[in-house]
Amino acid sequence: AGRVTFQPVPSYNGRPSAESVKRVDMNGTEVTAAYQAEVKAATPTSQDTQSTGLQGKLQTSHLNFTSGQASVNGQTATVPLAPEGPQFVVNGQIQQANSLPVYDASGKLQGTYTVQANGDISFQPAPDFHGTPTPARLRVRDKNGSTAEAFYQPTVTQVIPTSTNAESTGIQGQPQKGTPTFTPGDSTVPIDMDSPMTFEDGQPKKTVQGVGVYTINSDGSITFTPEKQYVGTPTPVTVKRVDKNGTEVTATYTPTVT
């Protein structure tokens, strides 16, 4: 009996106005006292996170949000975080979905973020994207409605395939072959062998008047069949391939007819 309780609204912290209470003794003499409540802030905290990965490859990280704590009467009290975990924030507004595509200023897709309730977060870049995408902004709230925000910033390292040009020499009027080679920029992003090599115009065959005919073979070689009267070294022809990200790489083939 005689205990005074104060139930603060969830968002309040500080010292409200003191409240007076009174009692009387058996003679009816009044006595007053003051009750002063103090509500200590217990705001969640956060830490930004980053990751780096290759073009076209999934990146993962973890968002660190910590429940707010305060010392109350010599003991540590904690306000638990809400069970839904981190949520994406766009233009100040919470997004209900746990995935978020992001775009550059021209509207081109950079990639897609996905977050889990436990704070695990990932970024799947678009196959042709490299660089630093728009960061993900995330917010958590606790049981009192207090919030904390953190940013996740991935960086996507470009994967650039390379090539070695081909040359060959043959006699007048006879076909000859050369095979350009293509090397992945990284072993995890191989050359796309399901996309055939072509000439610059996207075709598998190229005719050069007064010189001869170039044909791309299924094994990646190029056959050059010179016109019967042609002798010399023509202008190299350019062929192209792509890797699994769709990144294009070119090489040249130069035959010589003696």
Side-chain angles (χ1 to χ4, degrees), residues 190-232:
I191 300 298
D192 188 355
M193 302 309 292
D194 295 327
S195 297
M197 182 171 70
T198 68
F199 293 102
E200 288 183 293
D201 61 0
Q203 299 301 311
K205 190 172 184 179
K206 184 179 182 70
T207 300
V208 180
Q209 293 298 325
V211 176
V213 178
Y214 298 86
T215 303
I216 295 175
N217 305 306
S218 60
D219 63 358
S221 64
I222 303 167
T223 298
F224 172 61
T225 304
E227 293 192 1
K228 294 185 181 302
Q229 79 285 1
Y230 181 80
V231 174

mmCIF file of all heavy atoms in Angstrom, residues 190-232:
data_model
loop_
_atom_site.group_PDB
_atom_site.id
_atom_site.type_symbol
_atom_site.label_atom_id
_atom_site.label_comp_id
_atom_site.label_asym_id
_atom_site.label_seq_id
_atom_site.Cartn_x
_atom_site.Cartn_y
_atom_site.Cartn_z
ATOM 1 N N PRO A 190 33.420 -17.995 -66.263
ATOM 2 C CA PRO A 190 34.022 -18.551 -67.474
ATOM 3 C C PRO A 190 33.481 -17.903 -68.749
ATOM 4 O O PRO A 190 32.446 -17.222 -68.738
ATOM 5 C CB PRO A 190 33.634 -20.029 -67.395
ATOM 6 C CG PRO A 190 32.369 -20.047 -66.596
ATOM 7 C CD PRO A 190 32.511 -18.937 -65.596
ATOM 8 N N ILE A 191 34.214 -18.141 -69.836
ATOM 9 C CA ILE A 191 33.702 -17.763 -71.146
ATOM 10 C C ILE A 191 32.432 -18.573 -71.419
ATOM 11 O O ILE A 191 32.367 -19.766 -71.114
ATOM 12 C CB ILE A 191 34.759 -18.026 -72.240
ATOM 13 C CG1 ILE A 191 36.037 -17.221 -71.965
ATOM 14 C CG2 ILE A 191 34.198 -17.702 -73.611
ATOM 15 C CD1 ILE A 191 35.843 -15.713 -71.975
ATOM 16 N N ASP A 192 31.426 -17.925 -71.983
ATOM 17 C CA ASP A 192 30.148 -18.588 -72.246
ATOM 18 C C ASP A 192 30.247 -19.391 -73.531
ATOM 19 O O ASP A 192 30.093 -18.860 -74.632
ATOM 20 C CB ASP A 192 29.030 -17.547 -72.340
ATOM 21 C CG ASP A 192 27.656 -18.181 -72.423
ATOM 22 O OD1 ASP A 192 27.566 -19.429 -72.511
ATOM 23 O OD2 ASP A 192 26.659 -17.426 -72.398
ATOM 24 N N MET A 193 30.482 -20.682 -73.379
ATOM 25 C CA MET A 193 30.639 -21.538 -74.552
ATOM 26 C C MET A 193 29.302 -21.853 -75.221
ATOM 27 O O MET A 193 29.267 -22.417 -76.316
ATOM 28 C CB MET A 193 31.350 -22.835 -74.167
ATOM 29 C CG MET A 193 32.727 -22.608 -73.527
ATOM 30 S SD MET A 193 33.814 -21.517 -74.502
ATOM 31 C CE MET A 193 34.115 -22.556 -75.928
ATOM 32 N N ASP A 194 28.210 -21.512 -74.545
ATOM 33 C CA ASP A 194 26.893 -21.702 -75.158
ATOM 34 C C ASP A 194 26.549 -20.570 -76.117
ATOM 35 O O ASP A 194 25.594 -20.682 -76.892
ATOM 36 C CB ASP A 194 25.813 -21.803 -74.082
ATOM 37 C CG ASP A 194 25.976 -23.039 -73.214
ATOM 38 O OD1 ASP A 194 26.439 -24.069 -73.750
ATOM 39 O OD2 ASP A 194 25.661 -22.969 -72.010
ATOM 40 N N SER A 195 27.308 -19.465 -76.042
ATOM 41 C CA SER A 195 27.132 -18.351 -76.974
ATOM 42 C C SER A 195 28.260 -18.412 -77.991
ATOM 43 O O SER A 195 29.429 -18.204 -77.638
ATOM 44 C CB SER A 195 27.167 -17.004 -76.227
ATOM 45 O OG SER A 195 26.097 -16.904 -75.323
ATOM 46 N N PRO A 196 27.959 -18.719 -79.229
ATOM 47 C CA PRO A 196 29.020 -18.961 -80.216
ATOM 48 C C PRO A 196 29.805 -17.690 -80.545
ATOM 49 O O PRO A 196 29.301 -16.578 -80.437
ATOM 50 C CB PRO A 196 28.254 -19.471 -81.443
ATOM 51 C CG PRO A 196 26.868 -18.931 -81.278
ATOM 52 C CD PRO A 196 26.611 -18.905 -79.813
ATOM 53 N N MET A 197 31.037 -17.901 -80.917
ATOM 54 C CA MET A 197 31.874 -16.805 -81.401
ATOM 55 C C MET A 197 31.321 -16.299 -82.730
ATOM 56 O O MET A 197 30.848 -17.087 -83.554
ATOM 57 C CB MET A 197 33.312 -17.299 -81.579
ATOM 58 C CG MET A 197 34.297 -16.256 -82.022
ATOM 59 S SD MET A 197 36.008 -16.878 -81.956
ATOM 60 C CE MET A 197 36.003 -18.061 -83.314
ATOM 61 N N THR A 198 31.367 -14.997 -82.933
ATOM 62 C CA THR A 198 30.889 -14.401 -84.181
ATOM 63 C C THR A 198 31.857 -13.314 -84.626
ATOM 64 O O THR A 198 32.738 -12.894 -83.878
ATOM 65 C CB THR A 198 29.488 -13.771 -84.024
ATOM 66 O OG1 THR A 198 29.586 -12.628 -83.162
ATOM 67 C CG2 THR A 198 28.478 -14.753 -83.451
ATOM 68 N N PHE A 199 31.647 -12.852 -85.854
ATOM 69 C CA PHE A 199 32.337 -11.655 -86.302
ATOM 70 C C PHE A 199 31.645 -10.433 -85.700
ATOM 71 O O PHE A 199 30.618 -10.563 -85.022
ATOM 72 C CB PHE A 199 32.357 -11.594 -87.829
ATOM 73 C CG PHE A 199 33.189 -12.684 -88.453
ATOM 74 C CD1 PHE A 199 32.587 -13.806 -89.020
ATOM 75 C CD2 PHE A 199 34.564 -12.599 -88.442
ATOM 76 C CE1 PHE A 199 33.361 -14.818 -89.571
ATOM 77 C CE2 PHE A 199 35.353 -13.608 -88.983
ATOM 78 C CZ PHE A 199 34.742 -14.720 -89.545
ATOM 79 N N GLU A 200 32.184 -9.258 -85.918
ATOM 80 C CA GLU A 200 31.661 -8.051 -85.274
ATOM 81 C C GLU A 200 30.196 -7.794 -85.590
ATOM 82 O O GLU A 200 29.480 -7.187 -84.797
ATOM 83 C CB GLU A 200 32.506 -6.835 -85.669
ATOM 84 C CG GLU A 200 33.884 -6.821 -85.022
ATOM 85 C CD GLU A 200 34.668 -5.582 -85.379
ATOM 86 O OE1 GLU A 200 35.017 -5.440 -86.576
ATOM 87 O OE2 GLU A 200 34.915 -4.752 -84.481
ATOM 88 N N ASP A 201 29.749 -8.255 -86.771
ATOM 89 C CA ASP A 201 28.349 -8.028 -87.151
ATOM 90 C C ASP A 201 27.425 -9.111 -86.610
ATOM 91 O O ASP A 201 26.236 -9.134 -86.925
ATOM 92 C CB ASP A 201 28.215 -7.928 -88.667
ATOM 93 C CG ASP A 201 28.665 -9.211 -89.388
ATOM 94 O OD1 ASP A 201 29.078 -10.183 -88.707
ATOM 95 O OD2 ASP A 201 28.608 -9.241 -90.632
ATOM 96 N N GLY A 202 27.970 -10.032 -85.782
ATOM 97 C CA GLY A 202 27.151 -11.085 -85.193
ATOM 98 C C GLY A 202 26.971 -12.304 -86.068
ATOM 99 O O GLY A 202 26.258 -13.239 -85.685
ATOM 100 N N GLN A 203 27.631 -12.334 -87.210
ATOM 101 C CA GLN A 203 27.478 -13.444 -88.148
ATOM 102 C C GLN A 203 28.661 -14.405 -88.058
ATOM 103 O O GLN A 203 29.772 -14.021 -87.673
ATOM 104 C CB GLN A 203 27.350 -12.907 -89.580
ATOM 105 C CG GLN A 203 26.144 -12.002 -89.796
ATOM 106 C CD GLN A 203 24.838 -12.690 -89.485
ATOM 107 O OE1 GLN A 203 24.588 -13.815 -89.941
ATOM 108 N NE2 GLN A 203 23.994 -12.030 -88.699
ATOM 109 N N PRO A 204 28.448 -15.675 -88.447
ATOM 110 C CA PRO A 204 29.528 -16.661 -88.387
ATOM 111 C C PRO A 204 30.370 -16.721 -89.671
ATOM 112 O O PRO A 204 31.308 -17.507 -89.760
ATOM 113 C CB PRO A 204 28.780 -17.977 -88.177
ATOM 114 C CG PRO A 204 27.489 -17.765 -88.897
ATOM 115 C CD PRO A 204 27.138 -16.315 -88.727
ATOM 116 N N LYS A 205 30.025 -15.897 -90.652
ATOM 117 C CA LYS A 205 30.730 -15.935 -91.932
ATOM 118 C C LYS A 205 30.956 -14.517 -92.420
ATOM 119 O O LYS A 205 30.095 -13.643 -92.247
ATOM 120 C CB LYS A 205 29.908 -16.741 -92.950
ATOM 121 C CG LYS A 205 30.637 -17.059 -94.249
ATOM 122 C CD LYS A 205 29.785 -18.026 -95.089
ATOM 123 C CE LYS A 205 30.527 -18.443 -96.354
ATOM 124 N NZ LYS A 205 29.730 -19.408 -97.162
ATOM 125 N N LYS A 206 32.111 -14.296 -93.036
ATOM 126 C CA LYS A 206 32.439 -12.955 -93.515
ATOM 127 C C LYS A 206 33.151 -13.067 -94.863
ATOM 128 O O LYS A 206 34.136 -13.807 -94.989
ATOM 129 C CB LYS A 206 33.343 -12.236 -92.525
ATOM 130 C CG LYS A 206 33.693 -10.792 -92.868
ATOM 131 C CD LYS A 206 34.573 -10.196 -91.792
ATOM 132 C CE LYS A 206 34.894 -8.737 -92.070
ATOM 133 N NZ LYS A 206 33.689 -7.900 -91.894
ATOM 134 N N THR A 207 32.644 -12.334 -95.842
ATOM 135 C CA THR A 207 33.243 -12.319 -97.173
ATOM 136 C C THR A 207 33.872 -10.965 -97.429
ATOM 137 O O THR A 207 33.221 -9.924 -97.220
ATOM 138 C CB THR A 207 32.185 -12.613 -98.252
ATOM 139 O OG1 THR A 207 31.612 -13.907 -97.998
ATOM 140 C CG2 THR A 207 32.799 -12.580 -99.641
ATOM 141 N N VAL A 208 35.122 -10.984 -97.843
ATOM 142 C CA VAL A 208 35.829 -9.751 -98.199
ATOM 143 C C VAL A 208 36.136 -9.815 -99.694
ATOM 144 O O VAL A 208 36.920 -10.679 -100.141
ATOM 145 C CB VAL A 208 37.126 -9.582 -97.387
ATOM 146 C CG1 VAL A 208 37.835 -8.280 -97.786
ATOM 147 C CG2 VAL A 208 36.821 -9.574 -95.892
ATOM 148 N N GLN A 209 35.491 -8.946 -100.453
ATOM 149 C CA GLN A 209 35.648 -8.978 -101.903
ATOM 150 C C GLN A 209 37.109 -8.805 -102.295
ATOM 151 O O GLN A 209 37.823 -7.947 -101.773
ATOM 152 C CB GLN A 209 34.806 -7.864 -102.536
ATOM 153 C CG GLN A 209 33.306 -8.043 -102.387
ATOM 154 C CD GLN A 209 32.801 -9.309 -103.067
ATOM 155 O OE1 GLN A 209 33.316 -9.720 -104.119
ATOM 156 N NE2 GLN A 209 31.804 -9.960 -102.460
ATOM 157 N N GLY A 210 37.547 -9.659 -103.223
ATOM 158 C CA GLY A 210 38.913 -9.599 -103.713
ATOM 159 C C GLY A 210 39.926 -10.243 -102.796
ATOM 160 O O GLY A 210 41.119 -10.289 -103.113
ATOM 161 N N VAL A 211 39.468 -10.730 -101.631
ATOM 162 C CA VAL A 211 40.380 -11.344 -100.655
ATOM 163 C C VAL A 211 40.014 -12.803 -100.405
ATOM 164 O O VAL A 211 40.819 -13.713 -100.616
ATOM 165 C CB VAL A 211 40.383 -10.557 -99.331
ATOM 166 C CG1 VAL A 211 41.265 -11.259 -98.302
ATOM 167 C CG2 VAL A 211 40.876 -9.135 -99.562
ATOM 168 N N GLY A 212 38.791 -13.037 -99.869
ATOM 169 C CA GLY A 212 38.389 -14.394 -99.580
ATOM 170 C C GLY A 212 37.244 -14.457 -98.583
ATOM 171 O O GLY A 212 36.613 -13.433 -98.269
ATOM 172 N N VAL A 213 37.001 -15.660 -98.076
ATOM 173 C CA VAL A 213 35.876 -15.911 -97.183
ATOM 174 C C VAL A 213 36.396 -16.465 -95.853
ATOM 175 O O VAL A 213 37.217 -17.389 -95.836
ATOM 176 C CB VAL A 213 34.885 -16.902 -97.802
ATOM 177 C CG1 VAL A 213 33.739 -17.192 -96.824
ATOM 178 C CG2 VAL A 213 34.338 -16.376 -99.119
ATOM 179 N N TYR A 214 35.894 -15.873 -94.755
ATOM 180 C CA TYR A 214 36.227 -16.327 -93.407
ATOM 181 C C TYR A 214 35.013 -17.049 -92.837
ATOM 182 O O TYR A 214 33.882 -16.548 -92.911
ATOM 183 C CB TYR A 214 36.558 -15.145 -92.501
ATOM 184 C CG TYR A 214 37.764 -14.331 -92.924
ATOM 185 C CD1 TYR A 214 37.625 -13.298 -93.848
ATOM 186 C CD2 TYR A 214 39.016 -14.577 -92.386
ATOM 187 C CE1 TYR A 214 38.718 -12.535 -94.234
ATOM 188 C CE2 TYR A 214 40.123 -13.814 -92.764
ATOM 189 C CZ TYR A 214 39.958 -12.792 -93.685
ATOM 190 O OH TYR A 214 41.046 -12.033 -94.045
ATOM 191 N N THR A 215 35.233 -18.215 -92.235
ATOM 192 C CA THR A 215 34.147 -18.992 -91.639
ATOM 193 C C THR A 215 34.548 -19.433 -90.237
ATOM 194 O O THR A 215 35.640 -19.999 -90.044
ATOM 195 C CB THR A 215 33.830 -20.233 -92.486
ATOM 196 O OG1 THR A 215 33.514 -19.831 -93.824
ATOM 197 C CG2 THR A 215 32.650 -20.991 -91.894
ATOM 198 N N ILE A 216 33.667 -19.176 -89.268
ATOM 199 C CA ILE A 216 33.918 -19.616 -87.890
ATOM 200 C C ILE A 216 33.429 -21.041 -87.732
ATOM 201 O O ILE A 216 32.289 -21.369 -88.077
ATOM 202 C CB ILE A 216 33.212 -18.688 -86.884
ATOM 203 C CG1 ILE A 216 33.815 -17.284 -86.948
ATOM 204 C CG2 ILE A 216 33.315 -19.239 -85.460
ATOM 205 C CD1 ILE A 216 33.107 -16.268 -86.084
ATOM 206 N N ASN A 217 34.289 -21.890 -87.209
ATOM 207 C CA ASN A 217 33.954 -23.299 -87.013
ATOM 208 C C ASN A 217 33.483 -23.552 -85.584
ATOM 209 O O ASN A 217 33.732 -22.758 -84.676
ATOM 210 C CB ASN A 217 35.180 -24.162 -87.334
ATOM 211 C CG ASN A 217 35.706 -23.896 -88.726
ATOM 212 O OD1 ASN A 217 34.968 -23.984 -89.707
ATOM 213 N ND2 ASN A 217 36.990 -23.536 -88.824
ATOM 214 N N SER A 218 32.816 -24.691 -85.402
ATOM 215 C CA SER A 218 32.233 -25.006 -84.093
ATOM 216 C C SER A 218 33.284 -25.206 -83.011
ATOM 217 O O SER A 218 32.989 -25.060 -81.821
ATOM 218 C CB SER A 218 31.352 -26.254 -84.193
ATOM 219 O OG SER A 218 32.122 -27.373 -84.629
ATOM 220 N N ASP A 219 34.531 -25.533 -83.396
ATOM 221 C CA ASP A 219 35.583 -25.732 -82.400
ATOM 222 C C ASP A 219 36.296 -24.432 -82.020
ATOM 223 O O ASP A 219 37.279 -24.452 -81.275
ATOM 224 C CB ASP A 219 36.599 -26.761 -82.900
ATOM 225 C CG ASP A 219 37.330 -26.304 -84.171
ATOM 226 O OD1 ASP A 219 37.026 -25.211 -84.686
ATOM 227 O OD2 ASP A 219 38.209 -27.058 -84.642
ATOM 228 N N GLY A 220 35.821 -23.304 -82.549
ATOM 229 C CA GLY A 220 36.416 -22.016 -82.212
ATOM 230 C C GLY A 220 37.504 -21.572 -83.156
ATOM 231 O O GLY A 220 38.071 -20.484 -82.985
ATOM 232 N N SER A 221 37.808 -22.371 -84.152
ATOM 233 C CA SER A 221 38.793 -21.964 -85.156
ATOM 234 C C SER A 221 38.114 -21.159 -86.262
ATOM 235 O O SER A 221 36.886 -21.167 -86.392
ATOM 236 C CB SER A 221 39.498 -23.187 -85.744
ATOM 237 O OG SER A 221 38.569 -24.006 -86.448
ATOM 238 N N ILE A 222 38.941 -20.501 -87.070
ATOM 239 C CA ILE A 222 38.441 -19.719 -88.192
ATOM 240 C C ILE A 222 39.127 -20.234 -89.453
ATOM 241 O O ILE A 222 40.361 -20.339 -89.503
ATOM 242 C CB ILE A 222 38.740 -18.220 -88.028
ATOM 243 C CG1 ILE A 222 38.157 -17.705 -86.716
ATOM 244 C CG2 ILE A 222 38.191 -17.420 -89.201
ATOM 245 C CD1 ILE A 222 38.652 -16.331 -86.326
ATOM 246 N N THR A 223 38.335 -20.574 -90.447
ATOM 247 C CA THR A 223 38.879 -21.000 -91.732
ATOM 248 C C THR A 223 38.846 -19.824 -92.699
ATOM 249 O O THR A 223 37.817 -19.155 -92.840
ATOM 250 C CB THR A 223 38.074 -22.169 -92.316
ATOM 251 O OG1 THR A 223 38.155 -23.292 -91.422
ATOM 252 C CG2 THR A 223 38.608 -22.576 -93.680
ATOM 253 N N PHE A 224 39.990 -19.586 -93.341
ATOM 254 C CA PHE A 224 40.065 -18.547 -94.374
ATOM 255 C C PHE A 224 40.313 -19.223 -95.707
ATOM 256 O O PHE A 224 41.303 -19.963 -95.877
ATOM 257 C CB PHE A 224 41.199 -17.572 -94.070
ATOM 258 C CG PHE A 224 41.462 -16.587 -95.180
ATOM 259 C CD1 PHE A 224 40.472 -15.702 -95.596
ATOM 260 C CD2 PHE A 224 42.692 -16.552 -95.818
ATOM 261 C CE1 PHE A 224 40.710 -14.796 -96.626
ATOM 262 C CE2 PHE A 224 42.943 -15.643 -96.853
ATOM 263 C CZ PHE A 224 41.946 -14.764 -97.252
ATOM 264 N N THR A 225 39.396 -19.004 -96.619
ATOM 265 C CA THR A 225 39.543 -19.530 -97.976
ATOM 266 C C THR A 225 39.803 -18.352 -98.907
ATOM 267 O O THR A 225 38.883 -17.557 -99.188
ATOM 268 C CB THR A 225 38.286 -20.295 -98.415
ATOM 269 O OG1 THR A 225 38.002 -21.335 -97.461
ATOM 270 C CG2 THR A 225 38.463 -20.894 -99.797
ATOM 271 N N PRO A 226 41.052 -18.194 -99.366
ATOM 272 C CA PRO A 226 41.364 -17.023 -100.198
ATOM 273 C C PRO A 226 40.824 -17.182 -101.623
ATOM 274 O O PRO A 226 40.649 -18.300 -102.119
ATOM 275 C CB PRO A 226 42.895 -16.998 -100.195
ATOM 276 C CG PRO A 226 43.294 -18.425 -100.010
ATOM 277 C CD PRO A 226 42.227 -19.032 -99.118
ATOM 278 N N GLU A 227 40.557 -16.075 -102.254
ATOM 279 C CA GLU A 227 40.257 -16.126 -103.686
ATOM 280 C C GLU A 227 41.517 -16.595 -104.426
ATOM 281 O O GLU A 227 42.650 -16.366 -103.971
ATOM 282 C CB GLU A 227 39.799 -14.751 -104.172
ATOM 283 C CG GLU A 227 38.462 -14.342 -103.572
ATOM 284 C CD GLU A 227 37.855 -13.123 -104.266
ATOM 285 O OE1 GLU A 227 38.463 -12.613 -105.224
ATOM 286 O OE2 GLU A 227 36.757 -12.694 -103.829
ATOM 287 N N LYS A 228 41.299 -17.263 -105.560
ATOM 288 C CA LYS A 228 42.406 -17.957 -106.234
ATOM 289 C C LYS A 228 43.559 -17.032 -106.598
ATOM 290 O O LYS A 228 44.731 -17.426 -106.546
ATOM 291 C CB LYS A 228 41.894 -18.667 -107.477
ATOM 292 C CG LYS A 228 40.931 -19.821 -107.156
ATOM 293 C CD LYS A 228 40.547 -20.571 -108.414
ATOM 294 C CE LYS A 228 39.567 -21.695 -108.122
ATOM 295 N NZ LYS A 228 40.091 -22.664 -107.156
ATOM 296 N N GLN A 229 43.263 -15.781 -106.944
ATOM 297 C CA GLN A 229 44.312 -14.872 -107.386
ATOM 298 C C GLN A 229 44.950 -14.090 -106.254
ATOM 299 O O GLN A 229 45.932 -13.375 -106.464
ATOM 300 C CB GLN A 229 43.761 -13.884 -108.430
ATOM 301 C CG GLN A 229 42.951 -12.712 -107.865
ATOM 302 C CD GLN A 229 41.550 -13.090 -107.411
ATOM 303 O OE1 GLN A 229 41.171 -14.251 -107.496
ATOM 304 N NE2 GLN A 229 40.796 -12.111 -106.934
ATOM 305 N N TYR A 230 44.418 -14.254 -105.003
ATOM 306 C CA TYR A 230 44.888 -13.387 -103.911
ATOM 307 C C TYR A 230 46.195 -13.896 -103.297
ATOM 308 O O TYR A 230 46.328 -15.091 -102.984
ATOM 309 C CB TYR A 230 43.832 -13.270 -102.806
ATOM 310 C CG TYR A 230 44.293 -12.361 -101.680
ATOM 311 C CD1 TYR A 230 44.217 -10.991 -101.817
ATOM 312 C CD2 TYR A 230 44.849 -12.895 -100.516
ATOM 313 C CE1 TYR A 230 44.674 -10.134 -100.805
ATOM 314 C CE2 TYR A 230 45.298 -12.064 -99.500
ATOM 315 C CZ TYR A 230 45.215 -10.691 -99.659
ATOM 316 O OH TYR A 230 45.667 -9.857 -98.664
ATOM 317 N N VAL A 231 47.126 -12.952 -103.086
ATOM 318 C CA VAL A 231 48.370 -13.213 -102.365
ATOM 319 C C VAL A 231 48.642 -12.005 -101.469
ATOM 320 O O VAL A 231 48.462 -10.844 -101.889
ATOM 321 C CB VAL A 231 49.565 -13.417 -103.327
ATOM 322 C CG1 VAL A 231 50.881 -13.550 -102.542
ATOM 323 C CG2 VAL A 231 49.359 -14.637 -104.209
ATOM 324 N N GLY A 232 49.058 -12.254 -100.232
ATOM 325 C CA GLY A 232 49.388 -11.154 -99.337
ATOM 326 C C GLY A 232 48.798 -11.362 -97.949
ATOM 327 O O GLY A 232 48.348 -12.455 -97.602
#
